[in-house]
Amino acid sequence: VDQAFVDEAYNALIPKEIKQRDAIIGAYDDGDTALLVVDGMGAEYFPLLLNMANENAIEVEEKRIVSAVLPTSTGFNKIKWPEERRIQEVKRVDSITHNGYSHYEKCGYEENLAEVFNVFKKQVLPRVVSGLRQYKRVVVTADHGASYIAVTAHKNGMDKTLPWPWGTPDDWRYSGMSQSIDAPEGMVAVYSATEQKTYFVVKGYNRLPKEGGKSYGLHGGATLEEILVPFVVFKKDSAPESQTIT
């Protein structure tokens, strides 16, 4: 992570061909499709998900990268889907992002990544297989991604703390306001009709002046790794007979 990379990330835009997750997921709600949400599974795990499916002969009907909603936190990304066809959500990936593989120890990035691989093998794929034995399809996606790079940039002094003169911000990466103002420099504005509030979301690896921090990764902001998530649809009749997942 150098300054050129930080600058490029600040200016990066989502390609137009990338669809928003919430705009396409409804087309799969046909009464015989289940949903599995992997909390915090960013686009970087897309190849892992597909390769594990291939090794276990699980057929993929649809695969793409989609975008989450800003701010990129779970509270703003409640995916609409019938509760009776929701497979138990996998939350461990997001927990590792925030706290490391062991909550009370200092963890290395490689240790965290190894534990994420274990989560895919022991939780994600087995739940897909179980779902395919009951439903025609299983959609696997995420509420949001996360950024380890934002923490690295902060530790290396490559970020800025943006001014926020309207009290304590909601988060390091976003804050909401009921009053109408122009988006401050370095932020994008997103209006929530439900809450009648505008949220200002931090671009790049900068942050707002809030106490505390995260040791490994965070989300809520507008970097590509926070916004982009996998969207994979698995087909029935391809679930392996054995319970062994490779």
Side-chain angles (χ1 to χ4, degrees), residues 36-66:
L36 173 60
V37 175
V38 182
D39 192 354
M41 178 182 64
E44 67 270 27
Y45 297 115
F46 186 57
L48 173 63
L49 188 61
L50 295 178
N51 287 337
M52 291 188 73
N54 182 60
E55 289 185 3
N56 288 277
I58 303 174
E59 188 174 351
V60 174
E61 179 179 305
E62 175 71 28
K63 56 183 179 181
R64 64 169 76 186
I65 297 296
V66 295

PDB file of all heavy atoms in Angstrom, residues 36-66:
ATOM      1  N   LEU A  36     -28.494 -17.608   1.338  1.00  0.00           N
ATOM      2  CA  LEU A  36     -27.448 -17.681   2.355  1.00  0.00           C
ATOM      3  C   LEU A  36     -26.637 -16.389   2.298  1.00  0.00           C
ATOM      4  O   LEU A  36     -26.019 -16.083   1.281  1.00  0.00           O
ATOM      5  CB  LEU A  36     -26.531 -18.882   2.120  1.00  0.00           C
ATOM      6  CG  LEU A  36     -25.295 -18.969   3.032  1.00  0.00           C
ATOM      7  CD1 LEU A  36     -25.687 -19.061   4.498  1.00  0.00           C
ATOM      8  CD2 LEU A  36     -24.403 -20.139   2.630  1.00  0.00           C
ATOM      9  N   VAL A  37     -26.645 -15.644   3.392  1.00  0.00           N
ATOM     10  CA  VAL A  37     -25.872 -14.408   3.487  1.00  0.00           C
ATOM     11  C   VAL A  37     -24.617 -14.687   4.300  1.00  0.00           C
ATOM     12  O   VAL A  37     -24.683 -15.220   5.410  1.00  0.00           O
ATOM     13  CB  VAL A  37     -26.690 -13.286   4.162  1.00  0.00           C
ATOM     14  CG1 VAL A  37     -25.824 -12.036   4.357  1.00  0.00           C
ATOM     15  CG2 VAL A  37     -27.913 -12.944   3.323  1.00  0.00           C
ATOM     16  N   VAL A  38     -23.469 -14.323   3.724  1.00  0.00           N
ATOM     17  CA  VAL A  38     -22.195 -14.429   4.431  1.00  0.00           C
ATOM     18  C   VAL A  38     -21.776 -13.011   4.798  1.00  0.00           C
ATOM     19  O   VAL A  38     -21.351 -12.233   3.944  1.00  0.00           O
ATOM     20  CB  VAL A  38     -21.125 -15.114   3.561  1.00  0.00           C
ATOM     21  CG1 VAL A  38     -19.812 -15.251   4.341  1.00  0.00           C
ATOM     22  CG2 VAL A  38     -21.605 -16.481   3.085  1.00  0.00           C
ATOM     23  N   ASP A  39     -21.936 -12.676   6.054  1.00  0.00           N
ATOM     24  CA  ASP A  39     -21.688 -11.323   6.538  1.00  0.00           C
ATOM     25  C   ASP A  39     -20.233 -10.928   6.304  1.00  0.00           C
ATOM     26  O   ASP A  39     -19.311 -11.625   6.722  1.00  0.00           O
ATOM     27  CB  ASP A  39     -22.015 -11.277   8.035  1.00  0.00           C
ATOM     28  CG  ASP A  39     -22.083  -9.861   8.596  1.00  0.00           C
ATOM     29  OD1 ASP A  39     -21.763  -8.904   7.870  1.00  0.00           O
ATOM     30  OD2 ASP A  39     -22.468  -9.717   9.771  1.00  0.00           O
ATOM     31  N   GLY A  40     -20.024  -9.810   5.591  1.00  0.00           N
ATOM     32  CA  GLY A  40     -18.676  -9.302   5.372  1.00  0.00           C
ATOM     33  C   GLY A  40     -17.895  -9.981   4.275  1.00  0.00           C
ATOM     34  O   GLY A  40     -16.685  -9.768   4.158  1.00  0.00           O
ATOM     35  N   MET A  41     -18.550 -10.783   3.433  1.00  0.00           N
ATOM     36  CA  MET A  41     -17.855 -11.491   2.342  1.00  0.00           C
ATOM     37  C   MET A  41     -17.711 -10.562   1.137  1.00  0.00           C
ATOM     38  O   MET A  41     -18.627 -10.386   0.343  1.00  0.00           O
ATOM     39  CB  MET A  41     -18.632 -12.750   1.946  1.00  0.00           C
ATOM     40  CG  MET A  41     -18.007 -13.511   0.780  1.00  0.00           C
ATOM     41  SD  MET A  41     -18.959 -14.974   0.273  1.00  0.00           S
ATOM     42  CE  MET A  41     -20.512 -14.234  -0.294  1.00  0.00           C
ATOM     43  N   GLY A  42     -16.541  -9.966   0.999  1.00  0.00           N
ATOM     44  CA  GLY A  42     -16.296  -9.064  -0.115  1.00  0.00           C
ATOM     45  C   GLY A  42     -15.969  -9.796  -1.404  1.00  0.00           C
ATOM     46  O   GLY A  42     -15.848 -11.025  -1.448  1.00  0.00           O
ATOM     47  N   ALA A  43     -15.805  -9.031  -2.468  1.00  0.00           N
ATOM     48  CA  ALA A  43     -15.578  -9.595  -3.799  1.00  0.00           C
ATOM     49  C   ALA A  43     -14.297 -10.412  -3.883  1.00  0.00           C
ATOM     50  O   ALA A  43     -14.162 -11.281  -4.748  1.00  0.00           O
ATOM     51  CB  ALA A  43     -15.539  -8.470  -4.836  1.00  0.00           C
ATOM     52  N   GLU A  44     -13.347 -10.181  -2.975  1.00  0.00           N
ATOM     53  CA  GLU A  44     -12.091 -10.933  -3.032  1.00  0.00           C
ATOM     54  C   GLU A  44     -12.295 -12.419  -2.773  1.00  0.00           C
ATOM     55  O   GLU A  44     -11.434 -13.239  -3.114  1.00  0.00           O
ATOM     56  CB  GLU A  44     -11.067 -10.357  -2.034  1.00  0.00           C
ATOM     57  CG  GLU A  44     -11.394 -10.519  -0.566  1.00  0.00           C
ATOM     58  CD  GLU A  44     -12.200  -9.371  -0.001  1.00  0.00           C
ATOM     59  OE1 GLU A  44     -12.943  -8.722  -0.775  1.00  0.00           O
ATOM     60  OE2 GLU A  44     -12.095  -9.123   1.217  1.00  0.00           O
ATOM     61  N   TYR A  45     -13.441 -12.790  -2.166  1.00  0.00           N
ATOM     62  CA  TYR A  45     -13.712 -14.194  -1.895  1.00  0.00           C
ATOM     63  C   TYR A  45     -14.504 -14.879  -3.019  1.00  0.00           C
ATOM     64  O   TYR A  45     -14.816 -16.063  -2.919  1.00  0.00           O
ATOM     65  CB  TYR A  45     -14.465 -14.337  -0.566  1.00  0.00           C
ATOM     66  CG  TYR A  45     -13.660 -13.857   0.616  1.00  0.00           C
ATOM     67  CD1 TYR A  45     -14.070 -12.759   1.368  1.00  0.00           C
ATOM     68  CD2 TYR A  45     -12.462 -14.478   0.959  1.00  0.00           C
ATOM     69  CE1 TYR A  45     -13.319 -12.306   2.445  1.00  0.00           C
ATOM     70  CE2 TYR A  45     -11.707 -14.036   2.034  1.00  0.00           C
ATOM     71  CZ  TYR A  45     -12.141 -12.942   2.774  1.00  0.00           C
ATOM     72  OH  TYR A  45     -11.400 -12.496   3.828  1.00  0.00           O
ATOM     73  N   PHE A  46     -14.809 -14.149  -4.071  1.00  0.00           N
ATOM     74  CA  PHE A  46     -15.552 -14.684  -5.210  1.00  0.00           C
ATOM     75  C   PHE A  46     -14.837 -15.893  -5.829  1.00  0.00           C
ATOM     76  O   PHE A  46     -15.456 -16.956  -6.011  1.00  0.00           O
ATOM     77  CB  PHE A  46     -15.744 -13.568  -6.236  1.00  0.00           C
ATOM     78  CG  PHE A  46     -16.603 -13.894  -7.416  1.00  0.00           C
ATOM     79  CD1 PHE A  46     -17.908 -14.321  -7.265  1.00  0.00           C
ATOM     80  CD2 PHE A  46     -16.115 -13.722  -8.708  1.00  0.00           C
ATOM     81  CE1 PHE A  46     -18.718 -14.587  -8.366  1.00  0.00           C
ATOM     82  CE2 PHE A  46     -16.906 -13.993  -9.817  1.00  0.00           C
ATOM     83  CZ  PHE A  46     -18.210 -14.427  -9.643  1.00  0.00           C
ATOM     84  N   PRO A  47     -13.536 -15.817  -6.147  1.00  0.00           N
ATOM     85  CA  PRO A  47     -12.854 -16.989  -6.723  1.00  0.00           C
ATOM     86  C   PRO A  47     -12.819 -18.180  -5.770  1.00  0.00           C
ATOM     87  O   PRO A  47     -12.934 -19.325  -6.203  1.00  0.00           O
ATOM     88  CB  PRO A  47     -11.434 -16.470  -7.021  1.00  0.00           C
ATOM     89  CG  PRO A  47     -11.567 -14.985  -7.079  1.00  0.00           C
ATOM     90  CD  PRO A  47     -12.631 -14.646  -6.081  1.00  0.00           C
ATOM     91  N   LEU A  48     -12.650 -17.917  -4.479  1.00  0.00           N
ATOM     92  CA  LEU A  48     -12.631 -19.000  -3.504  1.00  0.00           C
ATOM     93  C   LEU A  48     -13.954 -19.741  -3.494  1.00  0.00           C
ATOM     94  O   LEU A  48     -13.994 -20.981  -3.514  1.00  0.00           O
ATOM     95  CB  LEU A  48     -12.338 -18.438  -2.110  1.00  0.00           C
ATOM     96  CG  LEU A  48     -12.448 -19.421  -0.936  1.00  0.00           C
ATOM     97  CD1 LEU A  48     -11.419 -20.541  -1.072  1.00  0.00           C
ATOM     98  CD2 LEU A  48     -12.268 -18.692   0.391  1.00  0.00           C
ATOM     99  N   LEU A  49     -15.045 -19.005  -3.492  1.00  0.00           N
ATOM    100  CA  LEU A  49     -16.379 -19.605  -3.472  1.00  0.00           C
ATOM    101  C   LEU A  49     -16.601 -20.469  -4.709  1.00  0.00           C
ATOM    102  O   LEU A  49     -17.088 -21.607  -4.623  1.00  0.00           O
ATOM    103  CB  LEU A  49     -17.424 -18.492  -3.398  1.00  0.00           C
ATOM    104  CG  LEU A  49     -18.880 -18.875  -3.183  1.00  0.00           C
ATOM    105  CD1 LEU A  49     -19.061 -19.594  -1.857  1.00  0.00           C
ATOM    106  CD2 LEU A  49     -19.765 -17.628  -3.229  1.00  0.00           C
ATOM    107  N   LEU A  50     -16.211 -19.955  -5.881  1.00  0.00           N
ATOM    108  CA  LEU A  50     -16.406 -20.693  -7.122  1.00  0.00           C
ATOM    109  C   LEU A  50     -15.489 -21.916  -7.213  1.00  0.00           C
ATOM    110  O   LEU A  50     -15.908 -22.985  -7.675  1.00  0.00           O
ATOM    111  CB  LEU A  50     -16.160 -19.772  -8.322  1.00  0.00           C
ATOM    112  CG  LEU A  50     -17.138 -18.612  -8.486  1.00  0.00           C
ATOM    113  CD1 LEU A  50     -16.737 -17.760  -9.685  1.00  0.00           C
ATOM    114  CD2 LEU A  50     -18.569 -19.099  -8.625  1.00  0.00           C
ATOM    115  N   ASN A  51     -14.252 -21.783  -6.772  1.00  0.00           N
ATOM    116  CA  ASN A  51     -13.326 -22.912  -6.837  1.00  0.00           C
ATOM    117  C   ASN A  51     -13.740 -24.045  -5.910  1.00  0.00           C
ATOM    118  O   ASN A  51     -13.628 -25.226  -6.260  1.00  0.00           O
ATOM    119  CB  ASN A  51     -11.910 -22.450  -6.500  1.00  0.00           C
ATOM    120  CG  ASN A  51     -11.282 -21.636  -7.620  1.00  0.00           C
ATOM    121  OD1 ASN A  51     -11.682 -21.744  -8.767  1.00  0.00           O
ATOM    122  ND2 ASN A  51     -10.314 -20.802  -7.279  1.00  0.00           N
ATOM    123  N   MET A  52     -14.228 -23.686  -4.720  1.00  0.00           N
ATOM    124  CA  MET A  52     -14.691 -24.724  -3.801  1.00  0.00           C
ATOM    125  C   MET A  52     -15.912 -25.439  -4.364  1.00  0.00           C
ATOM    126  O   MET A  52     -16.063 -26.655  -4.215  1.00  0.00           O
ATOM    127  CB  MET A  52     -14.999 -24.123  -2.431  1.00  0.00           C
ATOM    128  CG  MET A  52     -13.768 -23.653  -1.683  1.00  0.00           C
ATOM    129  SD  MET A  52     -14.127 -23.167   0.031  1.00  0.00           S
ATOM    130  CE  MET A  52     -14.398 -24.782   0.776  1.00  0.00           C
ATOM    131  N   ALA A  53     -16.800 -24.678  -5.011  1.00  0.00           N
ATOM    132  CA  ALA A  53     -17.958 -25.297  -5.651  1.00  0.00           C
ATOM    133  C   ALA A  53     -17.514 -26.246  -6.759  1.00  0.00           C
ATOM    134  O   ALA A  53     -18.024 -27.371  -6.890  1.00  0.00           O
ATOM    135  CB  ALA A  53     -18.883 -24.219  -6.210  1.00  0.00           C
ATOM    136  N   ASN A  54     -16.537 -25.812  -7.566  1.00  0.00           N
ATOM    137  CA  ASN A  54     -16.048 -26.645  -8.666  1.00  0.00           C
ATOM    138  C   ASN A  54     -15.416 -27.937  -8.143  1.00  0.00           C
ATOM    139  O   ASN A  54     -15.656 -29.025  -8.691  1.00  0.00           O
ATOM    140  CB  ASN A  54     -15.033 -25.852  -9.483  1.00  0.00           C
ATOM    141  CG  ASN A  54     -14.515 -26.622 -10.676  1.00  0.00           C
ATOM    142  OD1 ASN A  54     -15.269 -27.016 -11.560  1.00  0.00           O
ATOM    143  ND2 ASN A  54     -13.206 -26.838 -10.703  1.00  0.00           N
ATOM    144  N   GLU A  55     -14.623 -27.839  -7.085  1.00  0.00           N
ATOM    145  CA  GLU A  55     -13.965 -29.019  -6.534  1.00  0.00           C
ATOM    146  C   GLU A  55     -14.970 -30.012  -5.942  1.00  0.00           C
ATOM    147  O   GLU A  55     -14.682 -31.207  -5.848  1.00  0.00           O
ATOM    148  CB  GLU A  55     -12.956 -28.600  -5.464  1.00  0.00           C
ATOM    149  CG  GLU A  55     -11.723 -27.915  -6.030  1.00  0.00           C
ATOM    150  CD  GLU A  55     -10.691 -27.606  -4.977  1.00  0.00           C
ATOM    151  OE1 GLU A  55     -10.915 -27.978  -3.804  1.00  0.00           O
ATOM    152  OE2 GLU A  55      -9.666 -27.004  -5.319  1.00  0.00           O
ATOM    153  N   ASN A  56     -16.132 -29.507  -5.553  1.00  0.00           N
ATOM    154  CA  ASN A  56     -17.151 -30.379  -4.969  1.00  0.00           C
ATOM    155  C   ASN A  56     -18.285 -30.673  -5.949  1.00  0.00           C
ATOM    156  O   ASN A  56     -19.330 -31.190  -5.549  1.00  0.00           O
ATOM    157  CB  ASN A  56     -17.701 -29.735  -3.694  1.00  0.00           C
ATOM    158  CG  ASN A  56     -16.706 -29.774  -2.561  1.00  0.00           C
ATOM    159  OD1 ASN A  56     -16.574 -30.762  -1.864  1.00  0.00           O
ATOM    160  ND2 ASN A  56     -15.972 -28.670  -2.384  1.00  0.00           N
ATOM    161  N   ALA A  57     -18.071 -30.355  -7.243  1.00  0.00           N
ATOM    162  CA  ALA A  57     -19.031 -30.643  -8.312  1.00  0.00           C
ATOM    163  C   ALA A  57     -20.411 -30.047  -8.025  1.00  0.00           C
ATOM    164  O   ALA A  57     -21.439 -30.668  -8.291  1.00  0.00           O
ATOM    165  CB  ALA A  57     -19.138 -32.145  -8.542  1.00  0.00           C
ATOM    166  N   ILE A  58     -20.419 -28.824  -7.491  1.00  0.00           N
ATOM    167  CA  ILE A  58     -21.676 -28.111  -7.252  1.00  0.00           C
ATOM    168  C   ILE A  58     -21.870 -27.132  -8.411  1.00  0.00           C
ATOM    169  O   ILE A  58     -21.043 -26.260  -8.649  1.00  0.00           O
ATOM    170  CB  ILE A  58     -21.647 -27.359  -5.912  1.00  0.00           C
ATOM    171  CG1 ILE A  58     -21.356 -28.336  -4.773  1.00  0.00           C
ATOM    172  CG2 ILE A  58     -22.962 -26.634  -5.667  1.00  0.00           C
ATOM    173  CD1 ILE A  58     -21.154 -27.673  -3.422  1.00  0.00           C
ATOM    174  N   GLU A  59     -22.964 -27.278  -9.132  1.00  0.00           N
ATOM    175  CA  GLU A  59     -23.181 -26.504 -10.349  1.00  0.00           C
ATOM    176  C   GLU A  59     -23.595 -25.072 -10.036  1.00  0.00           C
ATOM    177  O   GLU A  59     -24.415 -24.814  -9.153  1.00  0.00           O
ATOM    178  CB  GLU A  59     -24.252 -27.173 -11.207  1.00  0.00           C
ATOM    179  CG  GLU A  59     -24.398 -26.543 -12.594  1.00  0.00           C
ATOM    180  CD  GLU A  59     -25.357 -27.313 -13.473  1.00  0.00           C
ATOM    181  OE1 GLU A  59     -25.777 -28.426 -13.077  1.00  0.00           O
ATOM    182  OE2 GLU A  59     -25.694 -26.795 -14.548  1.00  0.00           O
ATOM    183  N   VAL A  60     -23.020 -24.139 -10.773  1.00  0.00           N
ATOM    184  CA  VAL A  60     -23.319 -22.714 -10.627  1.00  0.00           C
ATOM    185  C   VAL A  60     -24.202 -22.266 -11.780  1.00  0.00           C
ATOM    186  O   VAL A  60     -23.841 -22.408 -12.949  1.00  0.00           O
ATOM    187  CB  VAL A  60     -22.019 -21.881 -10.596  1.00  0.00           C
ATOM    188  CG1 VAL A  60     -22.337 -20.384 -10.590  1.00  0.00           C
ATOM    189  CG2 VAL A  60     -21.179 -22.247  -9.383  1.00  0.00           C
ATOM    190  N   GLU A  61     -25.359 -21.722 -11.459  1.00  0.00           N
ATOM    191  CA  GLU A  61     -26.283 -21.231 -12.479  1.00  0.00           C
ATOM    192  C   GLU A  61     -25.996 -19.784 -12.861  1.00  0.00           C
ATOM    193  O   GLU A  61     -26.142 -19.396 -14.023  1.00  0.00           O
ATOM    194  CB  GLU A  61     -27.721 -21.339 -11.953  1.00  0.00           C
ATOM    195  CG  GLU A  61     -28.783 -20.827 -12.925  1.00  0.00           C
ATOM    196  CD  GLU A  61     -30.181 -20.982 -12.364  1.00  0.00           C
ATOM    197  OE1 GLU A  61     -30.558 -22.106 -11.990  1.00  0.00           O
ATOM    198  OE2 GLU A  61     -30.902 -19.957 -12.295  1.00  0.00           O
ATOM    199  N   GLU A  62     -25.597 -18.986 -11.898  1.00  0.00           N
ATOM    200  CA  GLU A  62     -25.335 -17.556 -12.129  1.00  0.00           C
ATOM    201  C   GLU A  62     -24.192 -17.132 -11.234  1.00  0.00           C
ATOM    202  O   GLU A  62     -24.087 -17.550 -10.080  1.00  0.00           O
ATOM    203  CB  GLU A  62     -26.584 -16.732 -11.814  1.00  0.00           C
ATOM    204  CG  GLU A  62     -26.410 -15.224 -11.895  1.00  0.00           C
ATOM    205  CD  GLU A  62     -26.252 -14.712 -13.314  1.00  0.00           C
ATOM    206  OE1 GLU A  62     -26.777 -15.374 -14.241  1.00  0.00           O
ATOM    207  OE2 GLU A  62     -25.608 -13.675 -13.500  1.00  0.00           O
ATOM    208  N   LYS A  63     -23.301 -16.293 -11.755  1.00  0.00           N
ATOM    209  CA  LYS A  63     -22.195 -15.774 -10.944  1.00  0.00           C
ATOM    210  C   LYS A  63     -21.855 -14.369 -11.411  1.00  0.00           C
ATOM    211  O   LYS A  63     -21.701 -14.125 -12.609  1.00  0.00           O
ATOM    212  CB  LYS A  63     -20.973 -16.692 -11.055  1.00  0.00           C
ATOM    213  CG  LYS A  63     -20.486 -16.925 -12.482  1.00  0.00           C
ATOM    214  CD  LYS A  63     -19.329 -17.908 -12.529  1.00  0.00           C
ATOM    215  CE  LYS A  63     -18.887 -18.148 -13.980  1.00  0.00           C
ATOM    216  NZ  LYS A  63     -17.779 -19.111 -14.080  1.00  0.00           N
ATOM    217  N   ARG A  64     -21.770 -13.475 -10.481  1.00  0.00           N
ATOM    218  CA  ARG A  64     -21.430 -12.096 -10.803  1.00  0.00           C
ATOM    219  C   ARG A  64     -20.999 -11.358  -9.539  1.00  0.00           C
ATOM    220  O   ARG A  64     -21.227 -11.820  -8.426  1.00  0.00           O
ATOM    221  CB  ARG A  64     -22.604 -11.370 -11.453  1.00  0.00           C
ATOM    222  CG  ARG A  64     -23.824 -11.228 -10.539  1.00  0.00           C
ATOM    223  CD  ARG A  64     -24.854 -10.273 -11.137  1.00  0.00           C
ATOM    224  NE  ARG A  64     -25.609 -10.894 -12.223  1.00  0.00           N
ATOM    225  CZ  ARG A  64     -26.473 -10.220 -12.975  1.00  0.00           C
ATOM    226  NH1 ARG A  64     -26.664  -8.929 -12.775  1.00  0.00           N
ATOM    227  NH2 ARG A  64     -27.152 -10.847 -13.918  1.00  0.00           N
ATOM    228  N   ILE A  65     -20.383 -10.210  -9.748  1.00  0.00           N
ATOM    229  CA  ILE A  65     -20.093  -9.290  -8.656  1.00  0.00           C
ATOM    230  C   ILE A  65     -21.171  -8.214  -8.663  1.00  0.00           C
ATOM    231  O   ILE A  65     -21.540  -7.698  -9.723  1.00  0.00           O
ATOM    232  CB  ILE A  65     -18.704  -8.644  -8.829  1.00  0.00           C
ATOM    233  CG1 ILE A  65     -17.606  -9.719  -8.787  1.00  0.00           C
ATOM    234  CG2 ILE A  65     -18.457  -7.596  -7.740  1.00  0.00           C
ATOM    235  CD1 ILE A  65     -17.488 -10.446  -7.481  1.00  0.00           C
ATOM    236  N   VAL A  66     -21.685  -7.883  -7.486  1.00  0.00           N
ATOM    237  CA  VAL A  66     -22.733  -6.877  -7.369  1.00  0.00           C
ATOM    238  C   VAL A  66     -22.312  -5.841  -6.321  1.00  0.00           C
ATOM    239  O   VAL A  66     -21.316  -6.020  -5.616  1.00  0.00           O
ATOM    240  CB  VAL A  66     -24.081  -7.517  -6.965  1.00  0.00           C
ATOM    241  CG1 VAL A  66     -24.578  -8.450  -8.062  1.00  0.00           C
ATOM    242  CG2 VAL A  66     -23.964  -8.261  -5.636  1.00  0.00           C
TER     243      VAL A  66
END
